[in-house]
Amino acid sequence: GESVGLHLPTLSVQEGDNSIINCAYSNSASDYFIWYKQESGKGPQFIIDIRSNMDKRQGQRVTVLLNKTVKHLSLQIAATQPGDSAVYFCAENIGSGGSYIPTFGRGTSLIVHP
Amino acid sequence: GAVVSQHPSRVICKSGTSVKIECRSLDFQATTMFWYRQFPKQSLMLMATSNEGSKATYEQGVEKDKFLINHASLTLSTLTVTSAHPEDSSFYICSARKGGLGTEAFFGQGTRLTVV
């Protein structure tokens, strides 16, 4: 699973490129996942979610892929813009039904160069 | 959309004093609230989960007597850092969930605590 506490890996891309951010989760029983974007000095902001009965979900410029076999999530951002620069976290929801507890992965710092 | 407001956004306090951080769900009732702590360039670490009207459940290694959590209503939870020390300096973030199956948690804007 994710090693919470280690420093964030960084992904640098050029404006207009597509970005792929990866995340490994720890609990095979997790069945609901969310990607968050966190800008400096702010709280996490919801981007997109996916349930375990799906392997792909698309939003506006973003796509999340879920591979339950290897416990892996990815977030794809199309046509990355400077405003996308932030830290991205995946969160697995551990628990069941109304007792979900969001547990965060290590996070990736995305830097978009104009 | 669902809005979670955290106050204050920044606070500086002296060692040995206590600091209270408020987390409010502004347009929904939060059956469950979460408190996280985040060090620079690191992930969010869950400190505790609180359900309205009951005692908070603390994660392993988090001192419940130091980090007092109160969730007295469906729209307000408070975190009090007691007898603060410089090592308590961190970014504290609350999150609130509406309830029901698989509903997402909405996050406050965070509180930067600096203990001098």
Side-chain angles (χ1 to χ4, degrees):
Chain A
E2 291 297 319
S3 301
V4 172
L6 296 182
H7 288 268
L8 300 172
T10 299
L11 174 65
S12 291
V13 300
Q14 290 295 127
E15 181 178 2
D17 286 352
N18 296 330
S19 302
I20 299 176
I21 300 170
N22 296 302
C23 175
Y25 63 92
S26 60
N27 193 329
S28 57
S30 297
D31 60 0
Y32 179 53
F33 306 88
I34 302 176
W35 278 100
Y36 290 96
K37 173 185 180 182
Q38 186 181 28
E39 297 176 328
S40 180
K42 298 183 179 179
Q45 178 184 2
F46 174 92
I47 300 174
I48 191 168
D49 59 359
I50 188 168
R51 297 190 183 280
S52 60
N53 60 352
M54 305 171 69
D55 53 19
K56 180 179 180 179
R57 189 164 189 224
Q58 289 184 292
Q60 189 176 19
R61 281 202 307 120
V62 295
T63 300
V64 55
L65 300 178
L66 173 62
N67 185 329
K68 295 182 289 294
T69 302
V70 295
K71 293 187 288 187
H72 183 270
L73 279 162
S74 68
L75 176 70
Q76 301 177 0
I77 305 174
T80 315
Q81 302 166 1
D84 295 327
S85 294
V87 177
Y88 290 81
F89 294 96
C90 69
E92 59 180 310
N93 282 264
I94 296 176
S96 61
S99 65
Y100 280 132
I101 298 174
T103 300
F104 283 75
R106 185 169 56 169
T108 297
S109 176
L110 176 64
I111 300 173
V112 183
H113 301 282
Chain B
V3 179
V4 176
S5 176
Q6 209 172 318
H7 179 82
S9 57
R10 289 178 180 272
V11 58
I12 301 172
C13 71
K14 293 184 177 180
S15 282
T17 62
S18 296
V19 174
K20 180 183 284 189
I21 302 169
E22 292 187 349
C23 180
R24 295 181 183 272
S25 55
L26 297 187
D27 52 0
F28 68 98
Q29 292 186 324
T31 55
T32 304
M33 287 188 172
F34 306 98
W35 286 95
Y36 293 84
R37 182 174 182 175
Q38 185 178 32
F39 291 107
K41 299 190 184 302
Q42 294 188 15
S43 187
L44 283 75
M45 296 178 63
L46 181 66
M47 298 175 67
T49 301
S50 73
N51 292 296
E52 185 265 339
S54 61
K55 290 184 178 180
T57 301
Y58 290 80
E59 294 298 298
Q60 191 173 9
V62 178
E63 299 175 61
K64 63 179 180 181
D65 294 330
K66 180 167 186 62
F67 299 100
L68 300 179
I69 292 172
N70 184 282
H71 191 166
S73 77
L74 285 170
T75 59
L76 174 65
S77 177
T78 60
L79 168 67
T80 301
V81 183
T82 62
S83 186
H85 289 101
E87 57 265 31
D88 298 325
S89 298
S90 190
F91 194 52
Y92 292 87
I93 307 171
C94 74
S95 175
R97 191 176 67 206
K98 291 180 182 179
L101 298 179
T103 55
E104 66 177 280
F106 300 92
F107 286 80
Q109 67 269 42
T111 297
R112 173 73 60 194
L113 170 63
T114 303
V115 184
V116 298

Coordinates of all heavy atoms in Angstrom, one line a residue, chain A residues 11-21 61 76-85 88 110-114:
Chain A
L11 N 5.5 14.9 -10.9 CA 5.3 14.7 -12.3 C 5.4 16.1 -13.0 O 4.6 17.0 -12.7 CB 4.0 14.0 -12.6 CG 3.6 13.9 -14.1 CD1 4.6 12.9 -14.8 CD2 2.2 13.3 -14.2
S12 N 6.3 16.3 -13.9 CA 6.4 17.6 -14.7 C 6.0 17.3 -16.1 O 6.4 16.4 -16.8 CB 7.8 18.1 -14.6 OG 8.2 18.5 -13.4
V13 N 5.1 18.2 -16.6 CA 4.6 18.0 -18.0 C 4.5 19.4 -18.6 O 4.5 20.4 -17.9 CB 3.2 17.4 -18.0 CG1 3.2 16.0 -17.4 CG2 2.1 18.3 -17.3
Q14 N 4.4 19.4 -19.9 CA 4.2 20.7 -20.7 C 2.8 20.9 -20.8 O 1.9 20.0 -21.0 CB 4.9 20.6 -22.0 CG 6.4 20.6 -22.0 CD 7.0 21.9 -21.5 OE1 7.8 21.9 -20.6 NE2 6.6 23.0 -22.1
E15 N 2.4 22.2 -20.9 CA 1.0 22.6 -21.1 C 0.5 21.9 -22.4 O 1.2 22.0 -23.4 CB 0.9 24.1 -21.2 CG -0.5 24.6 -21.4 CD -0.6 26.1 -21.4 OE1 0.5 26.8 -21.3 OE2 -1.7 26.7 -21.6
G16 N -0.6 21.4 -22.3 CA -1.2 20.7 -23.5 C -1.0 19.2 -23.6 O -1.7 18.5 -24.3
D17 N 0.0 18.8 -22.8 CA 0.2 17.3 -22.8 C -0.9 16.6 -22.0 O -1.5 17.3 -21.2 CB 1.6 17.0 -22.2 CG 2.7 17.3 -23.1 OD1 2.5 17.7 -24.3 OD2 3.9 17.3 -22.6
N18 N -0.9 15.3 -22.1 CA -1.8 14.5 -21.2 C -1.0 14.1 -20.0 O 0.2 13.7 -20.2 CB -2.4 13.3 -22.0 CG -3.3 13.7 -23.1 OD1 -3.9 14.8 -23.1 ND2 -3.3 12.9 -24.2
S19 N -1.6 14.1 -18.9 CA -0.9 13.6 -17.6 C -1.5 12.3 -17.1 O -2.7 12.2 -17.2 CB -1.0 14.7 -16.6 OG -0.5 15.9 -17.0
I20 N -0.7 11.5 -16.6 CA -1.2 10.3 -16.0 C -0.6 10.2 -14.6 O 0.7 10.1 -14.4 CB -0.8 9.0 -16.8 CG1 -1.5 9.1 -18.2 CG2 -1.3 7.7 -16.1 CD1 -1.1 7.9 -19.1
I21 N -1.4 10.1 -13.6 CA -1.0 10.0 -12.2 C -1.5 8.7 -11.7 O -2.6 8.3 -11.8 CB -1.6 11.2 -11.4 CG1 -1.1 12.5 -11.9 CG2 -1.2 11.0 -9.9 CD1 -1.8 13.7 -11.3
R61 N -12.4 16.3 -19.0 CA -10.9 16.3 -19.1 C -10.2 15.3 -18.2 O -9.0 15.2 -18.3 CB -10.2 17.7 -18.9 CG -10.3 18.7 -20.0 CD -9.3 19.7 -19.9 NE -9.2 20.4 -18.6 CZ -8.1 20.5 -17.9 NH1 -7.0 19.8 -18.2 NH2 -8.2 21.1 -16.7
Q76 N -6.1 10.3 -15.4 CA -5.6 10.8 -16.6 C -6.2 12.2 -16.8 O -7.4 12.4 -16.7 CB -5.9 9.9 -17.8 CG -5.4 8.5 -17.7 CD -5.8 7.6 -18.8 OE1 -6.5 8.0 -19.7 NE2 -5.3 6.4 -18.7
I77 N -5.4 13.2 -17.1 CA -5.8 14.6 -17.3 C -5.5 14.9 -18.7 O -4.3 14.9 -19.1 CB -5.2 15.5 -16.3 CG1 -5.4 15.1 -14.9 CG2 -5.7 17.0 -16.6 CD1 -4.7 16.0 -13.9
A78 N -6.5 15.2 -19.5 CA -6.2 15.5 -20.9 C -5.9 17.0 -21.1 O -6.4 17.9 -20.3 CB -7.5 15.2 -21.7
A79 N -5.0 17.3 -22.0 CA -4.7 18.7 -22.3 C -4.4 19.5 -21.0 O -5.1 20.5 -20.7 CB -5.8 19.4 -23.1
T80 N -3.4 19.1 -20.3 CA -3.1 19.7 -19.0 C -2.8 21.1 -19.1 O -2.1 21.6 -20.1 CB -1.9 18.9 -18.4 OG1 -2.0 17.5 -18.6 CG2 -1.8 19.2 -16.9
Q81 N -3.3 21.9 -18.2 CA -3.2 23.3 -18.1 C -2.4 23.8 -16.9 O -2.4 23.0 -15.9 CB -4.6 24.0 -18.1 CG -5.5 23.6 -19.3 CD -6.9 23.9 -19.1 OE1 -7.3 24.5 -18.0 NE2 -7.8 23.6 -20.0
P82 N -1.8 25.0 -16.9 CA -1.1 25.4 -15.7 C -1.9 25.4 -14.5 O -1.4 25.2 -13.4 CB -0.7 26.8 -16.1 CG -0.5 26.8 -17.6 CD -1.6 25.9 -18.1
G83 N -3.2 25.6 -14.6 CA -4.1 25.6 -13.4 C -4.3 24.2 -12.8 O -4.9 24.1 -11.8
D84 N -3.8 23.2 -13.6 CA -3.9 21.9 -13.0 C -2.7 21.6 -12.1 O -2.7 20.5 -11.4 CB -3.9 20.8 -14.2 CG -5.1 20.9 -15.1 OD1 -6.2 21.2 -14.6 OD2 -5.0 20.7 -16.3
S85 N -1.8 22.5 -12.0 CA -0.6 22.3 -11.1 C -1.1 22.2 -9.7 O -1.8 23.1 -9.2 CB 0.4 23.4 -11.2 OG 1.0 23.4 -12.5
Y88 N -2.1 15.8 -6.2 CA -3.2 14.9 -6.5 C -3.1 13.7 -5.6 O -2.1 13.0 -5.5 CB -3.3 14.5 -7.9 CG -3.6 15.6 -8.8 CD1 -2.7 16.6 -9.2 CD2 -4.9 15.8 -9.3 CE1 -3.0 17.7 -10.0 CE2 -5.3 16.9 -10.1 CZ -4.3 17.8 -10.4 OH -4.6 18.9 -11.2
L110 N 1.9 17.5 -9.3 CA 1.9 17.8 -10.8 C 2.3 19.2 -11.0 O 1.7 20.1 -10.5 CB 0.5 17.5 -11.3 CG 0.3 17.8 -12.8 CD1 1.2 16.9 -13.7 CD2 -1.2 17.8 -13.2
I111 N 3.3 19.3 -11.9 CA 3.8 20.7 -12.2 C 3.6 20.8 -13.7 O 4.1 20.0 -14.5 CB 5.3 20.8 -11.9 CG1 5.5 20.7 -10.4 CG2 5.8 22.2 -12.3 CD1 6.9 20.7 -9.9
V112 N 2.9 21.8 -14.1 CA 2.6 22.0 -15.6 C 3.4 23.3 -16.0 O 3.2 24.4 -15.5 CB 1.1 22.2 -15.8 CG1 0.8 22.4 -17.3 CG2 0.3 21.1 -15.2
H113 N 4.2 23.1 -17.0 CA 5.1 24.2 -17.5 C 4.4 24.8 -18.7 O 4.0 24.1 -19.6 CB 6.4 23.7 -17.9 CG 7.2 23.0 -16.8 ND1 7.8 23.8 -15.8 CD2 7.4 21.7 -16.4 CE1 8.4 23.0 -14.9 NE2 8.1 21.7 -15.3
P114 N 4.2 26.1 -18.7 CA 3.6 26.8 -19.8 C 4.4 26.8 -21.1 O 5.6 26.5 -21.0 CB 3.4 28.2 -19.3 CG 4.2 28.4 -18.2 CD 4.6 27.0 -17.6

